[in-house]
Amino acid sequence: GEAKNLPTYPGPNKMRDCYCTVNLDQEEVFRTKIVEKSLCPFYGEDFYCEIPRTFRHLSFYIFDRDVFRRDSIIGKVAIQKEDLQKYHNRDTWFQLQHVDADSEVQGKVHLELRLSEVITDTGVVCHKLATRVLECQGLPIVNGQCDPYATVTLAGPSRQSEAKKTKVKKKTNNPHFDEVFYFEVTRPSSYNKKSHFDIEDVDEVDKMEIRVDLWNASNLKFGDEFLGELRLPLKFLRQSSSYEAWYFLQPRDNGNKSLKPDDLGSLRLNVVYTEDHVFSSDYYSPLRDLLLKSADVEVICLHWLLGGRSCVMSSVVVRLKSLPRSLTQINALQKWFTSRDPNTIFRGNSLTSKCIDETMKLAGMHYLQVTLKPIIDEICQVHKPCEIDPVKLKDGENLENNRENLRQYVDRIFTVITKSGVSCPTVMCDIFFSLRESAAKRFQGDLDVRYTAVSSFIFLRFFAPAILSPNLFQLTPHHPDPQTSRTLTLISKTIQTLGSLSKSKSANFKESYMATFYDYFNEQKYADAVKNFLDLISSSGRRDHKSIEQPILLKEGFMIKRAQGRKRFGMKNFKKRWFRLTNHEFTYQKSKGDHPLCSIPIENILAVERLEEESFKMKNMFQVIQPERRVLYIQANNCVEAKDWIDILTKVSQCNKKRLTVYHPSAYLNGHWLCCKATADNTPGCTPCTGGLPANIQLDIDGDRETERIYSLFNLYMAKLEKMQEACGSKSVYDGPEEEEYSTFIIDDPKETYKTLKLVIEGVATLEQEHAQYKRDKFKKTKYGSQEHPIGDKSFQTYIRQQSEISAHSI
């Protein structure tokens, strides 16, 4: 959202140029725009991602960019994963905390400790501690690299041993050390069977601790960077002489710093975090079949029950779209219109309108890219004055010039929209055809209703919102500045009115200056263009979509690629390149806009898979496999971006006839494949390719996951389900609902609805039992200190406590 009360810059103007980053632990996955000259910057940017790896903290850093283009950290907000639900979907102000090297810690370490007694030739005993540092995982990347090593120290109140150091492991944040260090714990004494320790040394031993510090070896004069530490008291070895476990690394204690928490200002965030625990498909069959029944099922209860929640509407739509009978299901929903007035069809929110909204978002994102994005980009970059409200004119602006600038923008956007009918996705066209036919049958006396039914969606709910908020439709990376936002608002209002085909245009505007401006477009040619466009996108039996398809830009950005070895004597080094993916080809060039250095047709992409880190000691790498076993190795900027590129490349190439079924997860280096050790470079892959994605790039659906989301919402609103079932079973339903909460809808067939609700409740109860059993089984099998749940995992400790309470309660 925004920051406030940031510390002033130590200079004459005192203002700062600030931006905010979103990080998984310390890996940056998103960055806002820079807000200049402000100590209370407003960002208002949305970022959504599937999280592709485990993490401990969701962190937000505020950076200041000074005149020399150097970035310095002002402060951070770090929310532990287990605390995210506390702030779920509500605005919260967080105090910014100080950032230093000793507090920036991530990763885990695997240790084995063994305490043994050594009996000397003279019969006396001494105790030695063996500390084995096995490996680490998930260490941070510092300045683009990680060359880690560990130091091990035995410390106590009266003595501290010299630190012992492992070898440095180059270019990896998952180092394997497997080194053992020995320490003398107690001085030689007479052998005592009752205790592992000499009596007079017991208290001292209990106060001793083994300390493991992780460092990043650096060639800089400032020395090595601290990565994290672990302190273990020896007293827990009194119960067992050997102990092996994984531990989360901890930050170093900074007790000598006494800075007030409000010194750095605060940051307003709205975090929405969800976890889906998804079973295999057979678990969801009863609920899925129920949701996908034909039109005789009374699904109107869904809308009332869930209050039109967009999350479940998306899930309902993708469930409907995931089977061949999808269009029948959408058609079945269309009998519920929100108004009996043909002029306001679908102006309100209903189950039908929300389902179609979600379908347009899923299917039409690339349609928006190819129609609106070029002009939206120009509006954001050129900043032509377009204010037509005389009251809001700035000094030096001319009203007529502003009107002309706005008129040109509206004309251009109107033209590209009405000329884009052949590019409209087939899924949307089929829905519009069904809408048009349904409206025409219902309102036979109104000849224009076949247009208004369609325009209510394509203009009112699709193009106009995309123009108004281009960042929400992936047309711009962030919110436009206030002047541009105002321009887009005026364009959106005009386009919405042009598309509405209402009889009285001026009545649509509350502002007189908008009614005056609209006179420019009060000509029959605009109405004719709209009708021709609506006829085209709502007609059945259109021409083959692929034969007229233009290249659509799907994704672009800088990444690092390894040379493919096309030149006989060329070096296979790594270089930064601008990558560009359309639905026709995948290319890269030196910089944006340059001529492509390499072009891979989509039909030549045989597989897209992750590349194991051991290949080049580099994170976030993936491979694009081409004919004749040629492979392009690419490194993305972060884990989220790597997942995005893999997903979209896989989707766009999914229907290629020669797609591979197996691949090599590691590279071919030094005469053999690192994964399977095969020596021939043309050896078939050793690992099955990931698959199962649908061929249609516009609808990437995980049906089981979407059904799990619907189950979760049904479970949350179980009380409402039961109330509705009770209402259906009572006489009040037949006479019309008496209770106020049921007055927003009419149940056409209460007996059928009662049966459906009964099946829904039974299906949800069965799934709830399966989830509870899974949690119980997981609790029994999970070991604290394992690689999945290292010691120091607060979320797991909370989980253990909850499960213990549940078990005790059930007993």
Side-chain angles (χ1 to χ4, degrees):
E2 61 186 312
K4 68 178 181 182
N5 302 329
L6 299 180
T8 58
Y9 185 76
N13 61 9
K14 300 185 181 302
M15 294 290 107
R16 292 182 181 269
D17 299 339
C18 298
Y19 63 90
C20 181
T21 67
V22 182
N23 297 55
L24 294 174
D25 295 321
Q26 293 173 54
E27 181 181 13
E28 181 184 323
V29 294
F30 178 70
R31 179 179 294 200
T32 69
K33 64 181 181 290
I34 297 174
V35 176
E36 298 181 344
K37 298 178 182 178
S38 174
L39 298 179
C40 297
F42 178 82
Y43 300 106
E45 297 192 37
D46 297 314
F47 171 64
Y48 169 83
C49 79
E50 293 281 336
I51 299 178
R53 64 171 178 83
T54 58
F55 70 102
R56 294 181 66 194
H57 294 90
L58 181 65
S59 302
F60 303 83
Y61 292 79
I62 297 285
F63 286 85
D64 177 31
R65 174 161 289 187
D66 65 15
V67 291
F68 301 106
R69 297 287 174 182
R70 293 177 304 189
D71 301 343
S72 58
I73 296 178
I74 297 175
K76 73 170 182 178
V77 172
I79 309 173
Q80 291 185 346
K81 180 183 175 182
E82 54 268 25
D83 291 336
L84 287 172
Q85 283 300 322
K86 294 180 185 176
Y87 312 107
H88 180 77
N89 201 20
R90 59 187 177 90
D91 280 358
T92 308
W93 283 98
F94 295 88
Q95 294 291 338
L96 289 170
Q97 305 296 322
H98 286 272
V99 177
D100 55 50
D102 291 341
S103 67
E104 295 291 277
V105 169
Q106 70 179 57
K108 53 191 175 184
V109 59
H110 189 192
L111 292 182
E112 182 181 357
L113 303 175
R114 186 178 297 274
L115 190 65
S116 56
E117 297 175 339
V118 179
I119 305 175
T120 64
D121 294 338
T122 60
V124 293
V125 142
C126 66
H127 297 84
K128 291 189 181 294
L129 176 70
T131 302
R132 183 183 179 196
V133 184
L134 290 148
E135 60 180 310
C136 294
Q137 285 189 351
L139 298 178
I141 304 295
V142 181
N143 297 323
Q145 67 171 20
C146 190
D147 298 333
Y149 69 90
T151 60
V152 185
T153 311
L154 180 65
S158 57
R159 65 188 173 108
Q160 180 165 329
S161 64
E162 183 180 347
K164 300 183 180 183
K165 178 181 172 182
T166 67
K167 294 177 181 176
V168 176
K169 299 295 181 180
K170 293 286 188 180
K171 295 183 179 179
T172 178
N173 67 335
N174 298 314
H176 288 261
F177 296 112
D178 201 6
E179 296 187 41
V180 183
F181 304 98
Y182 295 94
F183 300 92
E184 185 177 294
V185 177
T186 62
R187 60 179 182 271
S189 63
S190 59
Y191 187 74
N192 186 337
K193 290 185 178 179
K194 293 182 179 179
S195 171
H196 283 299
F197 303 103
D198 185 16
I199 300 282
E200 59 189 33
D201 287 333
V202 169
D203 292 339
E204 184 179 337
V205 169
D206 280 354
K207 294 176 183 176
M208 285 185 176
E209 64 180 14
I210 194 76
R211 177 174 164 179
V212 180
D213 292 86
L214 269 294
W215 301 86
N216 180 41
S218 172
N219 295 323
L220 301 174
K221 62 181 180 179
F222 300 109
D224 299 343
E225 290 101 347
F226 174 77
L227 299 180
E229 72 172 13
L230 182 65
R231 296 188 179 195
L232 297 174
L234 290 192
K235 60 182 178 182
F236 75 90
L237 282 175
R238 300 275 300 279
Q239 307 299 324
S240 173
S241 60
S242 178
Y243 197 83
E244 177 188 350
W246 284 84
Y247 299 85
F248 274 130
L249 290 170
Q250 303 297 331
R252 192 153 51 190
D253 183 23
N254 289 315
N256 58 338
K257 295 187 179 180
S258 57
L259 292 164
K260 294 181 181 178
D262 57 352
D263 285 347
L264 302 176
S266 53
L267 180 65
R268 179 170 63 84
L269 302 169
N270 189 321
V271 179
V272 178
Y273 175 73
T274 58
E275 287 184 5
D276 298 323
H277 300 271
V278 187
F279 290 124
S280 55
S281 296
D282 52 312
Y283 284 85
Y284 298 107
S285 295
L287 185 59
R288 179 175 60 243
D289 294 344
L290 186 63
L291 288 169
L292 294 172
K293 269 188 176 181
S294 54
D296 58 338
V297 174
E298 296 290 341
V299 293
I300 188 62
C301 63
L302 278 172
H303 182 236
W304 168 81
L305 175 72
L306 302 167
R309 293 166 66 101
S310 60
C311 53
V312 80
M313 290 305 150
S314 177
S315 295
V316 169
V317 168
V318 294
R319 288 303 312 135
L320 297 179
K321 297 305 297 175
S322 62
L323 291 179
R325 291 160 50 216
S326 59
L327 209 60
T328 306
Q329 310 299 328
I330 291 282
N331 292 347
L333 293 173
Q334 290 169 8
K335 67 177 180 176
W336 290 290
F337 285 75
T338 59
S339 171
R340 297 188 181 277
D341 181 357
N343 292 320
T344 57
I345 290 178
F346 295 119
R347 289 296 177 100
N349 286 328
S350 66
L351 181 65
T352 306
S353 63
K354 283 188 172 291
C355 281
I356 297 175
D357 284 349
E358 293 299 327
T359 303
M360 290 194 298
K361 283 181 182 177
L362 286 166
M365 201 60 75
H366 304 303
Y367 178 36
L368 287 175
Q369 294 275 334
V370 77
T371 49
L372 295 183
K373 185 169 172 51
I375 301 178
I376 297 291
D377 285 344
E378 180 185 326
I379 292 171
C380 293
Q381 291 166 10
V382 176
H383 291 100
K384 283 185 180 179
C386 296
E387 182 56 70
I388 58 172
D389 183 355
V391 178
K392 295 182 179 179
L393 279 183
K394 295 179 181 177
D395 292 340
E397 287 186 353
N398 181 280
L399 183 60
E400 287 304 316
N401 289 344
N402 288 9
R403 280 179 180 160
E404 179 59 21
N405 291 339
L406 184 62
R407 188 194 66 77
Q408 289 180 7
Y409 279 145
V410 171
D411 227 354
R412 288 173 59 191
I413 288 180
F414 178 82
T415 301
V416 296
I417 290 174
T418 52
K419 296 289 186 185
S420 70
V422 293
S423 302
C424 185
T426 308
V427 172
M428 291 171 61
C429 292
D430 291 340
I431 290 172
F432 295 150
F433 172 73
S434 177
L435 271 174
R436 172 178 172 154
E437 294 300 302
S438 299
K441 284 180 182 177
R442 179 157 186 174
F443 304 103
Q444 296 180 10
D446 191 329
L447 297 178
D448 287 333
V449 74
R450 64 186 189 275
Y451 294 117
T452 54
V454 178
S455 67
S456 293
F457 282 97
I458 194 69
F459 282 100
L460 181 69
R461 294 174 173 269
F462 188 65
F463 283 120
I467 297 167
L468 185 65
S469 303
N471 58 299
L472 299 182
F473 291 80
Q474 299 175 21
L475 298 175
T476 59
H478 47 69
H479 276 288
D481 60 80
Q483 180 183 329
T484 305
S485 183
R486 173 64 175 165
T487 299
L488 294 175
T489 300
L490 296 171
I491 295 171
S492 179
K493 282 185 175 183
T494 312
I495 291 293
Q496 181 177 317
T497 307
L498 276 167
S500 68
L501 291 173
S502 59
K503 308 265 189 314
S504 175
K505 300 291 185 183
S506 58
N508 289 339
F509 298 109
K510 296 177 183 177
E511 309 92 343
S512 58
Y513 61 85
M514 284 299 299
T516 304
F517 173 70
Y518 195 83
D519 288 340
Y520 286 121
F521 305 97
N522 213 357
E523 298 180 29
Q524 188 59 36
K525 67 175 183 179
Y526 290 101
D528 292 342
V530 170
K531 287 185 176 181
N532 290 336
F533 169 66
L534 295 175
D535 279 335
L536 181 58
I537 64 172
S538 61
S539 60
S540 60
R542 297 186 309 118
R543 289 177 290 167
D544 179 26
H545 191 62
K546 290 185 178 178
S547 66
I548 53 174
E549 188 177 41
Q550 296 296 316
I552 297 173
L553 178 64
L554 304 178
K555 190 172 177 64
E556 61 181 345
F558 275 113
M559 291 190 290
I560 295 171
K561 65 96 187 175
R562 183 176 185 257
Q564 300 180 78
R566 292 194 302 273
K567 297 178 182 177
R568 188 170 182 181
F569 300 106
M571 291 182 63
K572 291 187 178 180
N573 54 355
F574 289 88
K575 293 183 179 178
K576 191 174 184 178
R577 294 288 182 256
W578 181 264
F579 284 81
R580 195 170 185 271
L581 174 66
T582 70
N583 56 341
H584 289 183
E585 61 182 357
F586 182 46
T587 62
Y588 63 78
Q589 52 245 44
K590 280 191 174 180
S591 299
K592 185 176 182 179
D594 289 354
H595 188 270
L597 299 172
C598 175
S599 174
I600 304 172
I602 295 301
E603 57 267 23
N604 283 354
I605 298 178
L606 306 186
V608 184
E609 300 287 347
R610 293 189 181 277
L611 185 70
E612 290 181 353
E613 187 181 328
E614 66 172 9
S615 298
F616 301 107
K617 304 293 185 185
M618 296 167 68
K619 288 171 66 77
N620 305 320
M621 289 202 71
F622 63 95
Q623 51 185 318
V624 179
I625 306 172
Q626 306 163 61
E628 300 176 1
R629 300 287 173 182
R630 287 183 57 199
V631 184
L632 175 61
Y633 296 117
I634 304 172
Q635 183 189 34
N637 294 323
N638 57 62
C639 60
V640 171
E641 192 173 311
K643 182 181 184 300
D644 286 347
W645 275 105
I646 293 170
D647 284 351
I648 197 165
L649 282 164
T650 301
K651 281 181 274 184
V652 79
S653 62
Q654 189 70 29
C655 54
N656 291 350
K657 294 179 180 178
K658 295 183 179 180
R659 275 189 65 85
L660 298 178
T661 55
V662 291
Y663 78 106
H664 291 285
S666 292
Y668 183 80
L669 296 172
N670 302 323
H672 69 278
W673 292 99
L674 297 181
C675 42
C676 59
K677 310 304 178 187
T679 54
D681 61 354
N682 61 351
T683 303
C686 57
T687 304
C689 287
T690 55
L693 289 173
N696 187 347
I697 185 174
Q698 296 157 340
L699 293 172
D700 177 17
I701 298 161
D702 182 344
D704 297 330
R705 181 175 178 179
E706 300 304 333
T707 311
E708 168 65 26
R709 286 178 173 176
I710 294 173
Y711 146 75
S712 299
L713 282 158
F714 274 144
N715 195 43
L716 183 64
Y717 290 97
M718 182 57 72
K720 276 193 171 185
L721 276 172
E722 291 169 345
K723 264 193 172 183
M724 178 174 275
Q725 186 185 21
E726 185 183 334
C728 290
S730 69
K731 268 191 171 183
S732 62
V733 173
Y734 298 94
D735 302 329
E738 295 174 2
E739 297 182 50
E740 187 178 341
E741 60 181 311
Y742 300 119
S743 61
T744 55
F745 65 89
I746 298 172
I747 300 174
D748 293 336
D749 191 342
K751 290 183 180 179
E752 275 302 310
T753 305
Y754 181 90
K755 292 177 185 177
T756 302
L757 287 168
K758 186 173 183 290
L759 292 172
V760 168
I761 291 170
E762 289 173 355
V764 170
T766 302
L767 278 170
E768 176 65 13
Q769 290 174 3
E770 295 290 352
H771 278 280
Q773 185 61 48
Y774 172 79
K775 288 178 181 178
R776 287 193 292 268
D777 293 343
K778 182 181 177 184
F779 177 65
K780 291 175 184 176
K781 295 174 184 176
T782 304
K783 179 186 174 185
Y784 191 44
S786 64
Q787 186 173 355
E788 295 77 19
H789 299 286
I791 294 173
D793 184 352
K794 292 184 179 178
S795 61
F796 184 65
Q797 289 175 309
T798 304
Y799 172 72
I800 287 178
R801 188 170 61 252
Q802 291 172 347
Q803 292 301 312
S804 299
E805 290 170 358
I806 292 169
S807 300
H809 179 70
S810 62
I811 290 169

